[in-house]
Amino acid sequence: MASCLEREINAFLWLSLISVTSYLLGKLAKIFELWRKARPIPGPPCPSFYGHGGLISTSSLTDILYAMHKKYGGVVKLWLGPAQLLVSIEDMDLIREVLLKAEDKLPLTGRAFRLAFGKSSLFISSFDKVEHKRNSLELKLGGALLERAHLIPEQIWGCVIENAQSARANGAVDSKEISLHLAYTILATTIFGDVFLAWPKATVYEELLMNISKDACFWASYSITPFWKRDFWRYQDSCAKLKCLTEELIKECRQKCKSGFLWESDGHDNTEYEPCGEIISLMFHGSLTMAALIANILTRLVTHVDIQDKIYSEIVMVQKVGRSPDEQNYDMTPNLLAVVYESARLLPAGPLLQRCSLQHDLKLKDGTVIPAGAIIVVPVQLVQMDSSNWGSDALKFNPCRFLSSTDGRCIPDQKETSTGHTSSVLKDPNEFKAFLPFGSGTRACIGQKLAVLGISSLFAALLERYEVRLQPGSEINPKPKMNNCILQLLPSPQIVFVKRSA
C-alpha cells in the first residue's frame, strides 16, 4: 500500500516537473524568437542581459531617443529587459503606417486605470474590443458635448479666475494650477452640464481625482497587486470615494437633465464596463491633456504680448458683425486657433505616442519587421520640432505656419473687410503630416476636436475681458529653453488677469 502511494506521488511530481519545464522552455523559445526577429532592427548593443534599463534610468527617454536616432536612423530599438523590446519610429514615411497598423495599447495603461477607476473600455489593450465604444464616444464628443462646450467659458471665466486671484494677496496665480482647474471645470461642465456648477461637492471631487491621478501608474506598475501595503489601501479608499461621488453626480444629472445623454445604454454598449469607470477615465485623461495645453498657451501669451493684442483685435472684429466669439465662428478667429495649434506642436501633452501589436508582427513598407508585443513609440516631441518637417524656424513659436499668410512675421497684419473677416485664413492642421499632438490613426485621441474648440472658446471669452500678464516684479523667466531640440519649460510663471476697460 505504501509503495503504491509512493509511486503515485512520484508520478505526480514527475508530471509537475515536466509541465513546469515545458512551460519554461516555451517561454525561453519565445524569448529567442523575439531576439531573432529584433536582430535586424538597428540600435545600440546591449550592455547586459537586462538591456538598456541602466541607460534609461540616468536620462530621459526622449533625450536617449534623440541621440539614438541621430546615430542609427529613423528606426531604432532599445531593450528594456530580456523579453521587453522598445522600437522608436522617427521616419515620417513610416510613422503614419505604424499608427494605422499598430492598433493596440500597452496592457499596463489599461491596468492603471482599471485599478483606480473600475472597468473602462476606453483603455483596453486590444483595439478590436474597444472599437465600437470609441466610435460611439467620438460621435458624442463631436456632437452634443461639443455644442455644450461652446457655452461653458461664459460661465466659468469669472468664477474660476476671480476666485483664484482673490485667494492670493497679490492677485497672482500659478499658470499650471489655474490651467488644471480650468481644464477640469470645462470638461466636468461639458459632461455633467449646469448640474455640476451647482454641485456642492465639486471641489472635493476635483481634489480626489487629481490626487488619485498622481498615484495611478505607480500602483499599477506592481506585477502583483500590493495588498500588504497600507498606502495602497489608502489609495483604494480614495478610489472608492471617487466612484461613490461619480455615481451620485450621475444620478443627480439623470434626474435633472431631460436629454438622457449621460452614458445611458444605447442597447449596444457592453454592460461589462462601468459607466462611472468610463466617465472618470475620460475626466482624468482629458483634464491632464487640456491643462497642459492651456498652461502652454498662457505662457505663450504672457511672453508674446503682440500676439495677445492681435487676438483681442480679432475678437473685437467678430463683435462688430454682431456675433459672439464663443460661437462657432472659427473662420473669423484664425489667429486664435493658430496659437492653439502652434502651442500644441511645440509642447504636446506627452512626449511619446505609444502603440503595440499584441497578436501579429508588423511588416513595414521599408522591410522592417517589428515583433508582436514590442512597445512601439513615436517621439512626437522630436518629430514636431524637426527642421526637415517644419523648416528652419521649427524651434521657434510661429503661429503663422498655420495661416495662409506666411511672410515671416509673428501674426500677419489684420485687414478688416466689410464682413468683419481678417486677411488671414487658417490652414487645415491635417495638411502637416508631422502634426501629431493628438496622435493619428485608429487610436488617435477621440476628444481632440472638443479639446481644441473648447480651449479656443475659453480663450476667446478670457481675452475679451482680460489681459494676461506676468506678475509685476516676477523673477521667473517663462520663456522655454532648448535641450537637444527638446523644449523644456521653466517653473510655472505667476500670472495676473487684468480686466480690460469697458
Side-chain angles (χ1 to χ4, degrees):
M1 184 70 179
S3 60
C4 181
L5 179 61
E6 185 178 349
R7 285 196 298 270
E8 290 181 357
I9 293 175
N10 288 337
F12 174 76
L13 292 176
W14 273 108
L15 287 173
S16 299
L17 179 61
I18 292 171
S19 299
V20 171
T21 304
S22 299
Y23 174 78
L24 294 178
L25 287 175
K27 287 286 187 180
L28 191 60
K30 288 182 179 180
I31 292 176
F32 280 119
E33 181 67 9
L34 177 63
W35 292 354
R36 184 188 66 80
K37 291 180 178 179
R39 188 174 183 179
I41 303 175
C46 282
S48 72
F49 179 75
Y50 298 101
H52 301 93
L55 178 65
I56 295 173
S57 65
T58 58
S59 303
S60 76
L61 183 56
T62 306
D63 284 334
I64 294 170
L65 293 179
Y66 173 78
M68 293 299 103
H69 282 295
K70 285 289 184 184
K71 184 174 182 179
Y72 295 100
V75 181
V76 297
K77 70 180 177 189
L78 289 173
W79 288 99
L80 306 182
Q84 187 63 77
L85 174 67
L86 181 144
V87 179
S88 177
I89 312 289
E90 194 189 32
D91 189 317
M92 277 310 305
D93 292 333
L94 300 178
I95 285 177
R96 294 285 177 175
E97 182 183 5
V98 166
L99 293 179
L100 282 172
K101 290 182 176 180
E103 299 178 329
D104 301 321
K105 282 277 193 178
L106 297 179
L108 175 62
T109 306
R111 189 167 183 270
F113 288 95
R114 183 173 66 255
L115 190 63
F117 309 136
K119 293 182 178 180
S120 169
S121 64
L122 302 181
F123 298 98
I124 294 177
S125 299
S126 173
F127 179 74
D128 293 337
K129 295 180 180 180
V130 76
E131 182 177 9
H132 168 72
K133 190 64 180 183
R134 282 177 56 87
N135 292 340
S136 174
L137 183 56
E138 188 171 14
L139 290 175
K140 293 175 181 178
L141 291 175
L145 283 182
L146 183 58
E147 292 177 6
R148 187 185 293 172
H150 291 297
L151 306 176
I152 294 173
E154 185 70 27
Q155 303 173 26
I156 69 170
W157 65 261
C159 63
V160 173
I161 293 173
E162 291 178 11
N163 288 344
Q165 290 197 135
S166 63
R168 304 287 184 90
N170 57 6
V173 295
D174 181 79
S175 176
K176 288 184 179 178
E177 184 178 318
I178 192 67
S179 298
L180 187 58
H181 192 50
L182 283 169
Y184 162 79
T185 309
I186 288 174
L187 196 55
T189 312
T190 300
I191 294 173
F192 298 110
D194 295 339
V195 173
F196 176 79
L197 293 176
W199 193 39
K201 300 178 182 179
T203 303
V204 176
Y205 188 87
E206 178 183 9
E207 291 176 356
L208 268 176
L209 181 64
M210 293 302 109
N211 287 335
I212 290 172
S213 67
K214 296 175 183 177
D215 300 329
C217 288
F218 170 75
W219 292 116
S221 65
Y222 279 82
S223 300
I224 300 174
T225 305
F227 297 110
W228 59 91
K229 289 184 174 286
R230 289 184 179 180
D231 289 343
F232 173 76
W233 288 109
R234 294 191 188 101
Y235 169 73
Q236 284 290 84
D237 184 58
S238 297
C239 293
K241 290 178 181 178
L242 185 68
K243 292 177 187 177
C244 289
L245 287 175
T246 304
E247 290 170 354
E248 177 185 328
L249 184 56
I250 292 173
K251 183 178 180 181
E252 191 169 340
C253 287
R254 285 176 173 170
Q255 288 176 346
K256 295 184 179 181
C257 299
K258 304 296 183 182
S259 64
F261 170 80
L262 192 61
W263 305 99
E264 292 182 356
S265 176
D266 58 5
H268 301 284
D269 290 342
N270 193 336
T271 56
E272 175 187 353
Y273 304 105
E274 305 169 8
C276 103
E278 306 278 21
I279 292 175
I280 299 174
S281 297
L282 181 61
M283 286 284 297
F284 165 79
H285 191 71
S287 293
L288 295 183
T289 301
M290 293 177 71
L293 183 52
I294 291 172
N296 192 14
I297 295 171
L298 285 174
T299 302
R300 299 295 178 182
L301 291 177
V302 298
T303 54
H304 296 82
V305 180
D306 56 333
I307 294 180
Q308 190 175 160
D309 293 338
K310 289 288 186 180
I311 296 174
Y312 176 66
S313 299
E314 195 172 60
I315 293 170
V316 171
M317 280 193 250
V318 173
Q319 290 177 328
K320 285 184 179 180
V321 296
R323 296 184 182 182
S324 166
D326 293 344
E327 296 175 15
Q328 299 184 41
N329 300 308
Y330 297 106
D331 58 325
M332 302 179 69
T333 55
N335 292 319
L336 173 57
L337 275 171
V339 168
V340 174
Y341 289 139
E342 180 70 348
S343 298
R345 180 188 75 86
L346 285 175
L347 198 67
L352 304 172
L353 294 177
Q354 296 182 348
R355 297 290 188 273
C356 69
S357 178
L358 295 175
Q359 301 297 330
H360 308 288
D361 296 344
L362 283 186
K363 297 181 180 180
L364 306 182
K365 58 186 178 183
D366 70 337
T368 301
V369 177
I370 302 176
I375 301 172
I376 304 171
V377 298
V378 175
V380 63
Q381 195 168 9
L382 299 180
V383 171
Q384 293 191 158
M385 302 185 73
D386 191 335
S387 58
S388 63
N389 298 324
W390 297 93
S392 58
D393 65 342
L395 305 183
K396 296 181 181 179
F397 179 71
N398 179 20
C400 285
R401 72 180 81 252
F402 290 99
L403 299 172
S404 59
S405 299
T406 54
D407 54 6
R409 287 171 288 177
C410 190
I411 293 287
D413 290 335
Q414 312 242 8
K415 294 181 181 179
E416 185 180 356
T417 65
S418 58
T419 61
H421 284 73
T422 67
S423 59
S424 303
V425 178
L426 186 73
K427 293 180 180 179
D428 183 356
N430 293 322
E431 293 179 9
F432 301 88
K433 293 182 179 180
F435 185 69
L436 302 167
F438 300 101
S440 181
T442 52
R443 282 277 190 164
C445 175
I446 56 178
Q448 56 182 302
K449 185 182 292 185
L450 175 64
V452 171
L453 299 187
I455 290 173
S456 299
S457 294
L458 168 67
F459 277 97
L462 175 67
L463 296 178
E464 180 185 0
R465 297 163 179 84
Y466 292 100
E467 293 179 61
V468 188
R469 299 176 183 171
L470 273 177
Q471 177 189 2
S474 175
E475 297 180 358
I476 294 179
N477 178 10
K479 290 187 177 182
K481 284 186 175 180
M482 300 303 301
N483 179 21
N484 292 336
C485 291
I486 300 169
L487 198 66
Q488 296 181 334
L489 289 182
L490 292 176
S492 177
Q494 298 292 308
I495 58 177
V496 179
F497 294 90
V498 181
K499 280 190 174 181
R500 297 185 186 273
S501 57

